[in-house]
Amino acid sequence: MALRTVCAAALRNGTDLGVNNTRTFVTTAFLCKKVPPLGPMPNEDIDTKNLESLKKYGSYTRYFKQAEEAKNKPVWWKTYKGYMDIADPEHGAEKVDIGLPYVRSRKIKEVRERRQMLKDNKKNAELERAFRLRTFKISLDRVQEAWENDDRPRHVKRLAEHYGVFRDLFPMAYFLPQVTLRICYSQENSSQVYYGNQLTPTEVASAPQISFSAEEGSLWTLLLTCPDEHLLDNEAEYVHWLVGNIPGGAVQAGEELCHYLPPFPARGTGFHRYIYVLFKQDGPINFQDDARPSPCHSLVDRTFKTVDFYRKHQDSMTPAGLAFFQSQWDESVTNTFHNMLNMREPVFEFIRPPVYHPPQVKYPHRQPLRYLDRL
């Protein structure tokens, strides 16, 4: 009796399952009929049976002209350039070269010289033997000299653009740094300024030794500024050093318009750029309006804008040299704020105070022993 009941239940379940599957299939088929048909397919209007009647382009020029006409037709959407032109009218504008004229040697002559040098090196048996035995030594001074005479201005320009030097100092302008600035903050040549290297405020606390190649009788202006350091105005700078009417390459003999002030990047503001710019003068310049009181320990008096300074004297000077380094806060910055600038040090990060340990009692009365807190 029990077996009959189980078989009947199994047959009934199987019948119901078949009915449910049938209903699902019918419902799916009905929904498929309700789906809207697809739109016209690409090239649906082309008669594939009569391809000879289709219009053919005789040449690529004809097709190119029609493509140009379609490209120039106004469209309802805007390109990225269109959006940027509305937001920033100067976007995409051509930058102006304000530097000295750059005369580069002919490329054909350089290639010929290199080929001749390769031929001479291949014929040199001693050179081949030194290479084979790995005893050949390359003179780094000659490599540095060749780089400075050939590719240095273009490489330094690319580095300056990467660090945003021209964007912040000379908006919509640039120049090729053709004069090499050698800036050293120590006697051992360990703290030199290159093109974006990192130096601590302690290393650059005093004025450096500067040298550069200059013709006899020429006049120069040296500027050290920081576009990231101003505490009140993001568009302004602080001038750290300004020397004008430098005869030849003797910076010490120039007219010091603003004495040297060590960098003071505020705590919590990251790395700051400190930029040296060398200007070549056409003749003596009267810098009476640009001179600061000596000593100048007022940040208001040191507020500066390189572009305004250049526009004021652009008829008499031309930017020719560039070098810059990066620096961030260390302990010497606190001394600069307190002793030189005579002001409280601004801090832009949270400084956790040291843990306070109350004095330990030798025989505490009903108090826990706190000797573990001192570990």
Side-chain angles (χ1 to χ4, degrees):
M1 186 66 182
L3 182 60
R4 291 178 181 178
T5 304
V6 172
C7 292
L11 291 174
R12 185 169 56 255
N13 292 338
T15 306
D16 295 342
L17 182 62
V19 173
N20 291 336
N21 291 339
T22 305
R23 289 177 180 175
T24 303
F25 176 75
V26 173
T27 305
T28 305
F30 179 75
L31 291 176
C32 291
K33 293 181 180 180
K34 293 295 183 180
V35 176
L38 297 176
M41 301 301 291
N43 302 328
E44 191 178 41
D45 54 341
I46 297 178
D47 186 9
T48 57
K49 296 181 180 180
N50 188 12
L51 296 178
E52 297 295 332
S53 62
L54 297 178
K55 183 179 180 180
K56 299 182 178 60
Y57 292 98
S59 64
Y60 176 76
T61 306
R62 185 178 176 185
Y63 169 77
F64 183 75
K65 288 181 179 179
Q66 293 193 7
E68 286 293 329
E69 293 176 359
K71 175 183 176 182
N72 296 330
K73 289 182 180 180
V75 294
W76 60 269
W77 64 86
K78 293 182 180 179
T79 61
Y80 172 76
K81 184 179 183 301
Y83 279 112
M84 294 305 298
D85 290 343
I86 296 175
D88 185 9
E90 296 182 353
H91 179 76
E94 186 177 357
K95 295 184 178 181
V96 181
D97 186 2
I98 59 175
L100 298 172
Y102 181 60
V103 180
R104 190 181 178 186
S105 58
R106 298 179 61 182
K107 193 69 177 178
I108 300 177
K109 182 179 179 181
E110 294 180 2
V111 172
R112 289 178 180 175
E113 291 178 354
R114 290 183 180 179
R115 288 179 179 175
Q116 185 63 34
M117 185 181 298
L118 289 175
K119 291 180 181 179
D120 296 341
N121 291 340
K122 289 181 179 179
K123 296 178 181 179
N124 192 340
E126 296 182 359
L127 189 63
E128 186 273 335
R129 184 173 182 275
F131 269 108
R132 182 162 38 82
L133 299 178
R134 298 183 180 181
T135 58
F136 180 76
K137 295 183 179 180
I138 300 176
S139 176
L140 296 181
D141 295 337
R142 292 185 59 186
V143 174
Q144 179 74 13
E145 182 181 357
W147 175 72
E148 291 180 356
N149 295 334
D150 187 16
D151 297 329
R152 190 197 68 84
R154 294 184 293 106
H155 289 173
V156 175
K157 174 181 172 291
R158 291 178 60 186
L159 288 171
E161 289 176 344
H162 174 75
Y163 283 96
V165 173
F166 299 138
R167 178 195 61 201
D168 296 333
L169 297 189
F170 304 98
M172 302 308 299
Y174 71 95
F175 66 93
L176 282 174
Q178 301 187 39
V179 180
T180 304
L181 275 173
R182 296 176 178 85
I183 305 171
C184 185
Y185 276 96
S186 63
Q187 299 294 338
E188 296 80 13
N189 296 333
S190 59
S191 302
Q192 294 189 19
V193 178
Y194 296 105
Y195 310 104
N197 58 314
Q198 299 177 11
L199 297 175
T200 63
T202 303
E203 293 175 334
V204 297
S206 58
Q209 299 292 329
I210 300 179
S211 62
F212 55 91
S213 301
E215 303 86 359
E216 186 177 356
S218 59
L219 294 175
W220 306 80
T221 298
L222 182 67
L223 168 67
L224 172 60
T225 183
C226 178
D228 309 319
E229 204 172 39
H230 207 282
L231 300 175
L232 302 177
D233 188 1
N234 292 332
E235 301 297 329
E237 311 161 20
Y238 283 138
V239 55
H240 284 261
W241 200 17
L242 183 59
V243 185
N245 294 321
I246 301 173
V251 180
Q252 299 80 4
E255 180 184 353
E256 191 172 54
L257 307 175
C258 185
H259 74 91
Y260 183 83
L261 180 67
F264 50 92
R267 187 169 187 173
T269 57
F271 283 96
H272 292 191
R273 297 163 297 171
Y274 295 89
I275 306 168
Y276 281 93
V277 182
L278 182 67
F279 298 90
K280 185 175 183 180
Q281 302 177 195
D282 296 337
I285 301 177
N286 184 10
F287 291 109
Q288 184 177 0
D289 297 336
D290 302 303
R292 268 68 172 177
S294 183
C296 182
H297 293 155
S298 172
L299 294 183
V300 177
D301 295 337
R302 286 186 175 267
T303 300
F304 186 80
K305 280 191 175 182
T306 304
V307 63
D308 295 340
F309 175 76
Y310 171 70
R311 285 172 180 170
K312 183 179 179 181
H313 305 287
Q314 63 180 348
D315 296 333
S316 305
M317 63 169 53
T318 306
L322 181 70
F324 56 96
F325 66 94
Q326 300 181 84
S327 185
Q328 66 176 349
W329 183 92
D330 68 357
E331 290 76 8
S332 65
V333 177
T334 304
N335 179 56
T336 303
F337 274 106
H338 292 174
N339 300 334
M340 292 188 180
L341 301 178
N342 194 21
M343 59 179 291
R344 295 180 60 184
E345 180 186 6
V347 178
F348 296 90
E349 68 179 2
F350 176 73
I351 302 177
R352 186 176 298 277
V355 180
Y356 171 72
H357 296 287
Q360 188 172 357
V361 183
K362 187 174 183 180
Y363 300 105
H365 181 63
R366 295 183 179 181
Q367 293 182 2
L369 296 173
R370 305 182 62 87
Y371 61 90
L372 293 178
D373 295 343
R374 299 179 181 277
L375 298 179

